[in-house]
Amino acid sequence: LRFLTDASRIDEANFPESLKSWVVINAPWFFPIFFKCTKPFVSEITKSKIHVYGGNRKEWMQFLGSVFPHHVLPIKYGGSNSIEIP
């Protein structure tokens, strides 16, 4: 816990506002538990930029469509960009 606290403090002091948005899709069942444990070590501003979605494709596709332009998103993620993503 001390390592996480120190790492978070150092990161936020040296890289302020470097995160625009973090989106996790198809998160495994244990990820919300892990994320909940790390939340106390992250600032409120950073927490507001993190979005975690499980296997509900409709839910995360709706979010991605509201944040990113349709032409930027690959077809695999509900957009129109034909870029190949493994």
Side-chain angles (χ1 to χ4, degrees), residues 53-67:
Y53 296 96
N56 186 340
R57 183 178 175 87
K58 184 177 180 181
E59 183 181 3
W60 58 258
M61 281 185 63
Q62 182 179 7
F63 174 78
L64 290 177
S66 71
V67 175

Side-chain angles (χ1 to χ4, degrees), residues 5-78:
T5 304
D6 291 345
S8 178
R9 186 175 34 82
I10 291 168
D11 182 54
E12 289 182 0
N14 294 298
F15 304 102
E17 298 301 318
S18 62
L19 177 69
K20 178 161 174 120
S21 184
W22 181 31
V23 182
V24 179
I25 57 174
N26 292 328
W29 64 269
F30 61 85
F31 190 84
I33 297 166
F34 168 77
F35 185 55
K36 192 175 192 176
C37 292
T38 61
K39 275 185 176 183
F41 306 105
V42 180
S43 73
E44 291 299 321
I45 294 171
T46 302
K47 280 189 247 184
S48 70
K49 297 176 182 183
I50 300 172
H51 308 278
V52 180
Y53 296 96
N56 186 340
R57 183 178 175 87
K58 184 177 180 181
E59 183 181 3
W60 58 258
M61 281 185 63
Q62 182 179 7
F63 174 78
L64 290 177
S66 71
V67 175
F68 301 102
H70 193 261
H71 71 280
V72 172
L73 287 173
I75 295 169
K76 180 177 182 177
Y77 298 111

